[in-house]
Amino acid sequence: MIGAGAVGLTLAARLARAGMPVRLVTRDIGSARSLESGGIRVEDPKTGEQWCAPVGAVAGLENADLEGADRPLLICVRSTDTEALAFQLSELAPNAAVVSVQNGVDNDDLLARYFPRVIGAVWRQTCTRVEPDLVRFTGQGRVVVGLHPQGFAPEVEVLAQDLRRADYDVGISSRIAEDRWLKLCVNLMSAPNALIRREDHDRPPFVEVKARLLEEARAVLAATGIEARSCDGRDRSLDQEIRHQRESLERGTSARRIPLYNQVWSSLRSDAPLEADGYHQRILELAAAHGIGVPINARVLEKLIEAKTGHRGPECFSAAELLAPS
C-alpha cells in the first residue's frame, strides 16, 4: 500500500486485523519506523474501542521491493501526487496492477497511461489521521471496486474478497466511472462540512448550502450526459442524497457529533494541499461549457480558497456567508 494518510492507515489497519500481511510505503522514515515497530493504532470515537494492527512499513518507493509484485498495489495518496507517483512507480514495477483508492474522477485515467491494469476503488468512510501511526474511524465502511474503464477481471474479485474479509461492505462495478462521479458529487459537501462553524450545522442555511451544491451538480451532469450512479443501488442516488440532506434537520442528523473530520478539515488545519477545490472546479468547468449557472459551487470554491490561502483554519464561516452571492 502506497500512502499512509487517513485512508491508507484505515485500510491497512482493517486488512491487517483480518490477518492479511500489509506493507505500507510512507513519505518519511520516521513514520515508517513508528509503524514498523508499533503498528497502526485505531480509535473508534463512537464505541470507544481502541486496537492496534501490526504492519510492515518502508520510507519511499525506492526502498520497497516491488519487483515481480503478484498482487495489485493499492495507491492511497492525494490526487495532486498521482502523476509523479505513477511515473516513479512505473519505473520500478511497470507491469503491476494498481488500485486507485483515491477521490476524484481523473486518477484512473492518469494511472492507465503508465500501467496495463488499473482498478478503481471508491472509498466511502470518513476517517481522520490523528498522528502518523494513529487513525480514527467508526462503522463498517463501504468500498466499490471495478476495472477501469469498464468490465470485469479476476483481480477485482480477489480484491473484493480481501475487502470483505476486512468486514467492508463491498460493491463490484462494471462501470466504475459512474460510481466515481456519484462520489465526486457527494464530496462537494465536504467543503461546507469543514468550512461552516459547528453551531450552524443544526440550522437551515447549512443544509441549504449542501442541497444546492448537489442540485447544481445534478443539472450539470444532466446537461453533459455524464452518468453518476451506484453500481448496486446501495449508495444513495443524487435525488435521494438531496432529499436526505433536506430532511436531516428534522431527523437531527445534520451535525456530526463525534470527533471525525474529513480531508478538507484536516487540510485547513495543516500545510497539506486541498483536493476538494478540484471537485468544485470540475463542476464549474462543465457548467461553463454548457452555459449553466452554478453560483453555490462558485461561492463555496471561493471561500475554500480564501480559508486556505488566508490560513484561517476550519469552521471559519457562517452558513449564510456561503449562500451569499459573490
Side-chain angles (χ1 to χ4, degrees):
M1 294 185 58
I2 302 166
V7 171
L9 289 179
T10 299
L11 182 52
R14 293 278 295 272
L15 292 171
R17 195 186 199 191
M20 286 169 270
V22 176
R23 196 177 202 202
L24 276 163
V25 180
T26 71
R27 289 178 181 272
D28 63 89
I29 194 167
S31 296
R33 286 173 176 169
S34 177
L35 292 165
E36 181 83 20
S37 62
I40 301 171
R41 295 181 293 138
V42 173
E43 294 178 350
D44 184 332
K46 189 172 185 179
T47 66
E49 183 184 11
Q50 298 182 6
W51 48 277
C52 187
V55 294
V58 295
L61 284 175
E62 64 278 8
N63 296 314
D65 183 13
L66 302 176
E67 190 74 26
D70 60 352
R71 298 295 292 275
L73 305 177
L74 276 64
I75 296 177
C76 304
V77 302
R78 289 185 291 266
S79 295
T80 50
D81 297 330
T82 303
E83 180 91 56
L85 173 67
F87 177 79
Q88 184 183 8
L89 186 58
S90 66
E91 296 287 307
L92 299 170
N95 297 314
V98 296
V99 182
S100 170
V101 193
Q102 300 169 280
N103 285 317
V105 294
D106 298 318
N107 290 300
D108 296 344
D109 278 335
L110 196 159
L111 290 167
R113 299 176 198 165
Y114 294 90
F115 299 99
R117 292 165 296 162
V118 175
I119 298 170
V122 179
W123 180 265
R124 285 179 166 268
Q125 184 174 38
T126 300
C127 46
T128 306
R129 180 179 181 261
V130 182
E131 296 177 15
D133 63 345
L134 174 60
V135 68
R136 185 179 292 153
F137 61 86
T138 192
Q140 180 184 22
R142 171 150 166 90
V143 186
V144 177
V145 295
L147 184 68
H148 172 78
Q150 62 184 29
F152 297 97
E155 297 98 323
V156 175
E157 183 57 45
V158 170
L159 175 63
Q161 290 173 2
D162 287 343
L163 292 168
R164 290 186 183 117
R165 283 177 59 193
D167 197 34
Y168 281 102
D169 174 1
V170 181
I172 297 180
S173 178
S174 63
R175 296 180 180 272
I176 194 66
E178 296 179 359
D179 297 89
R180 286 223 182 271
W181 274 104
L182 179 60
K183 180 67 189 316
L184 181 141
C185 293
V186 171
N187 280 346
L188 294 173
M189 298 185 291
S190 298
N193 283 338
L195 285 172
I196 294 174
R197 297 184 186 114
R198 191 64 54 90
E199 58 267 26
D200 273 9
H201 287 207
D202 287 321
R203 297 172 183 169
F206 174 68
V207 171
E208 187 66 18
V209 169
K210 297 202 292 182
R212 287 172 63 181
L213 284 172
L214 296 176
E215 288 166 349
E216 290 179 359
R218 180 178 61 184
V220 168
L221 296 193
T224 58
I226 294 173
E227 296 286 355
R229 57 189 170 193
S230 171
C231 66
D232 54 12
R234 300 192 64 182
D235 305 302
R236 286 189 289 268
S237 69
L238 268 179
D239 289 341
Q240 290 169 335
E241 188 66 55
I242 291 166
R243 287 197 299 272
H244 180 78
Q245 294 303 321
R246 290 200 178 279
E247 294 168 359
S248 63
L249 283 177
E250 184 178 344
R251 288 195 314 271
T253 58
S254 62
R256 186 185 294 274
R257 306 297 180 188
I258 57 178
L260 276 178
Y261 306 103
N262 61 32
Q263 190 274 338
V264 186
W265 196 98
S266 299
S267 175
L268 291 174
R269 280 202 63 166
S270 70
D271 294 329
L274 291 167
E275 282 190 336
D277 54 339
Y279 313 150
H280 299 280
Q281 190 63 49
R282 175 56 72 91
I283 296 298
L284 263 65
E285 290 168 357
L286 291 173
H290 290 80
I292 298 173
V294 286
I296 301 301
N297 273 274
R299 180 67 169 179
V300 169
L301 177 59
E302 172 193 326
K303 290 300 182 183
L304 182 59
I305 294 172
E306 180 182 333
K308 184 62 175 177
T309 57
H311 305 285
R312 297 186 59 172
E315 301 175 26
C316 56
F317 295 110
S318 69
E321 289 177 281
L322 270 66
L323 282 173
S326 301

